[in-house]
Amino acid sequence: MVALIVAVAAAVSVYIFIYYNFLKGVKCKSDVSLNGRTVIVTGANTGIGKETALDMARRGARVVLACRSKDRAEAARFSRREDKTSNNQVVFMHLDLASLKSVRAFAETFLKSEPQLHILINNAGKTEDGFSMGVGVNHFGHFLLTNLLLERLKQCVPSRVVVLASETYRMVGLDFSKLSRTEPGHTNGFLDYAHSKLCNVLFARELSNRLEGTNVTCYSVHPGEHSITLCGHQPAPIPAPRAGPGLSRFTLQYTPQGGAQTSIHCAVQEGIERFSGRYFSDCRVREVVAHARDDAVARKLWEFSERMVGLSAD
């Protein structure tokens, strides 16, 4: 019994050491106010998106919760009240990024009802348009949304676009054949996810190039969804698995609040404008691997995406 207690105590100690040294993450240090500014957060009803939206509300912004589920969005608004945030300028607008029709409808509604947009956080991560699920939502949906709202962002400078990517972008090269329409359900979940995250990094890079001189900046971010797996097992695709039968797998992750810090940093931190188009992790700019900083490929992806979502006459 004593040996078991000692073993459990040792395991807890290891957990605490790893959490505070590797997983807790870096907290955004900016205390900037967002009074008078409007923010859109996609996928704002749960996880990192919810925590990001809560932070924007605490800073005084008018926050648009752009998500599919009104019930979950209302729950997120209730969390804001529980958090003693006095900001009542938090509203729900329906957006299903799996549907380009829904993206267009959202943009039309937003532009008619909201005169300002200062920060667009492309957070959400299925699609009725036939794209592979991860690429459709993570890239094409956000690509179309950003383009439809771009003029409003330019009218409200200084403004920012934050695109959630992931370290999984490193694992694949860009294969345009995998970005075209597919039969529903015909997809490799993890590779599709990694592909979409590479698209996110390249999208932010090309968007920055096209926005040069406009005072609209953009950033791709790794949200901190790290996992550590012990006992000789390899890490699994994000989201990482929880402890399995017999505790043979021991996985640690950032909390949603911790995972939101880099998105918040890129949305509000002053002085990072010169890093527009760059990739951030743990609230710091990071160098990306060679295939993710190829401007020619980024430009080709942009033009390809325009055709796929119907923004190009070609």
Side-chain angles (χ1 to χ4, degrees):
M1 185 64 181
V2 173
L4 177 60
I5 293 174
V6 170
V8 170
V12 170
S13 298
V14 170
Y15 177 91
I16 293 172
F17 173 80
I18 294 174
Y19 178 80
Y20 280 98
N21 287 277
F22 301 104
L23 294 180
K24 189 178 181 182
V26 177
K27 184 175 176 60
C28 174
K29 297 178 180 178
S30 173
D31 60 358
V32 68
S33 169
L34 295 179
N35 286 324
R37 299 176 73 79
T38 300
V39 180
I40 293 175
V41 184
T42 68
N45 53 8
T46 188
I48 290 173
K50 177 181 175 181
E51 292 298 331
T52 302
L54 286 170
D55 184 274
M56 299 295 105
R58 291 185 197 112
R59 295 171 186 272
R62 178 172 177 80
V63 182
V64 176
L65 309 177
C67 38
R68 288 183 298 167
S69 170
K70 184 175 182 179
D71 290 342
R72 289 185 178 182
E74 290 299 324
R77 292 178 65 193
F78 181 75
S79 295
R80 175 187 57 80
R81 291 194 296 270
E82 280 188 326
D83 192 53
K84 297 181 174 59
T85 300
S86 60
N87 185 351
N88 292 315
Q89 294 296 302
V90 179
V91 298
F92 164 79
M93 288 190 187
H94 180 265
L95 172 63
D96 183 358
L97 284 158
S99 165
L100 299 184
K101 180 180 179 181
S102 176
V103 173
R104 287 188 167 89
F106 170 89
E108 182 179 1
T109 299
F110 177 87
L111 293 172
K112 285 181 179 178
S113 61
E114 299 289 338
Q116 299 187 90
L117 177 59
H118 302 92
I119 302 172
L120 170 60
I121 301 178
N122 291 326
N123 167 84
K126 340 190 187 181
T127 109
E128 79 178 31
D129 293 286
F131 301 116
S132 58
M133 302 291 272
V135 174
V137 174
N138 292 335
H139 175 61
F140 287 125
H142 282 130
F143 176 86
L144 177 60
L145 177 66
T146 303
N147 274 277
L148 293 176
L149 299 177
L150 209 49
E151 285 306 311
R152 184 60 49 85
L153 285 162
K154 290 177 181 177
Q155 294 165 5
C156 300
V157 292
S159 53
R160 296 184 181 186
V161 178
V162 179
V163 184
L164 263 73
S166 163
E167 282 292 286
T168 58
Y169 85 87
R170 298 170 175 269
M171 301 180 182
V172 293
L174 194 59
D175 182 347
F176 284 90
S177 69
K178 296 185 183 301
L179 300 183
S180 57
R181 294 175 184 271
T182 63
E183 293 300 320
H186 186 265
T187 179
N188 180 314
F190 178 63
L191 291 180
D192 178 53
Y193 178 87
H195 223 102
S196 73
K197 296 293 112 178
L198 174 58
C199 288
N200 293 153
V201 175
L202 290 167
F203 168 50
R205 189 176 184 89
E206 178 62 12
L207 179 60
S208 174
N209 290 338
R210 291 171 181 257
L211 291 173
E212 187 172 357
T214 66
N215 211 12
V216 182
T217 55
C218 60
Y219 315 90
S220 60
V221 307
H222 172 57
E225 295 174 305
H226 297 309
S227 65
I228 293 179
T229 307
L230 305 180
C231 303
H233 295 278
Q234 294 299 313
I238 294 173
R242 300 183 184 277
L247 299 179
S248 62
R249 185 176 294 236
F250 183 38
T251 301
L252 308 176
Q253 293 180 282
Y254 281 165
T255 63
Q257 184 180 31
Q261 295 306 305
T262 303
S263 296
I264 295 166
H265 174 85
C266 287
V268 304
Q269 184 65 49
E270 297 171 325
I272 65 170
E273 292 81 3
R274 68 186 185 279
F275 296 120
S276 182
R278 301 286 296 278
Y279 177 79
F280 280 73
S281 176
D282 285 330
C283 299
R284 294 191 294 272
V285 67
R286 306 288 188 176
E287 193 63 65
V288 294
V289 298
H291 68 263
R293 58 175 186 269
D294 188 322
D295 284 332
V297 172
R299 190 179 313 113
K300 183 179 178 181
L301 173 64
W302 184 283
E303 294 167 353
F304 179 87
S305 300
E306 283 183 321
R307 294 193 296 272
M308 295 299 288
V309 303
L311 289 177
S312 171
D314 295 342

